[in-house]
Amino acid sequence: MLATEVTFPPACTVYLFHIDAEPQLGNITVSDITHDSLALTWTAVAGSFESFVIEVSDSEQLYDPLELRVGGASRNDTIMGLADGTAYNINVHGVSQGRRTQPLSAFAVTGTM
C-alpha cells in the first residue's frame, strides 16, 4: 500500500491510498488422466506470482492430502502417485507477497487398471 499526501489550501490535507490489487489466476485444465496420475495446466499473468501451491485431496478423504509448491514461472505440473479409480479435488493457489490467492478448483477421477 502506498499513501500519497496531497495538501489543499487552507490547511486541508487529503490522503490518497493506492492499494495494489491481488493478482488473479485464470483457468485450470486437467488432462492426461491415468490410473495413478494427472496433468494440470493453469493460466496466470506472467511475473505476478512467486510460486503456486497445488492441493490434491481425494473426495472420500481416504488418503493423505498432497500439497505441492512449484515456481512462479510454472503453469503446469504432473501429479503422480494417485490411487486408481479415485475422485480428486484439486486446488491451485498463486502466492504473491507471501499470501495465497483464492484457488482455481478442478475435479478429476483417475482411471482404473
Side-chain angles (χ1 to χ4, degrees):
M1 184 179 345
L2 174 67
T4 304
E5 181 179 339
V6 180
T7 304
F8 295 95
C12 178
T13 302
V14 175
Y15 291 92
L16 304 174
F17 291 92
H18 307 280
I19 300 173
D20 294 329
E22 177 181 276
Q24 300 294 310
L25 296 172
N27 299 309
I28 186 170
T29 303
V30 180
S31 62
D32 300 328
I33 301 171
T34 70
H35 69 280
D36 68 349
S37 68
L38 55 85
L40 294 176
T41 304
W42 60 92
T43 60
V45 175
S48 296
F49 298 99
E50 300 153 14
S51 61
F52 294 95
V53 175
I54 303 168
E55 301 167 331
V56 180
S57 60
D58 68 286
S59 298
E60 301 293 323
Q61 299 179 344
L62 300 174
Y63 306 100
D64 290 334
L66 301 172
E67 184 172 294
L68 310 166
R69 186 174 293 262
V70 297
S74 296
R75 296 295 183 270
N76 59 66
D77 199 19
T78 299
I79 312 301
M80 299 169 57
L82 302 175
D84 69 327
T86 302
Y88 286 95
N89 296 307
I90 304 151
N91 290 312
V92 176
H93 298 266
V95 178
S96 177
Q97 298 179 3
R99 296 187 345 218
R100 290 184 185 186
T101 64
Q102 291 294 315
L104 289 176
S105 298
F107 176 82
V109 178
T110 53
T112 56
M113 290 179 67

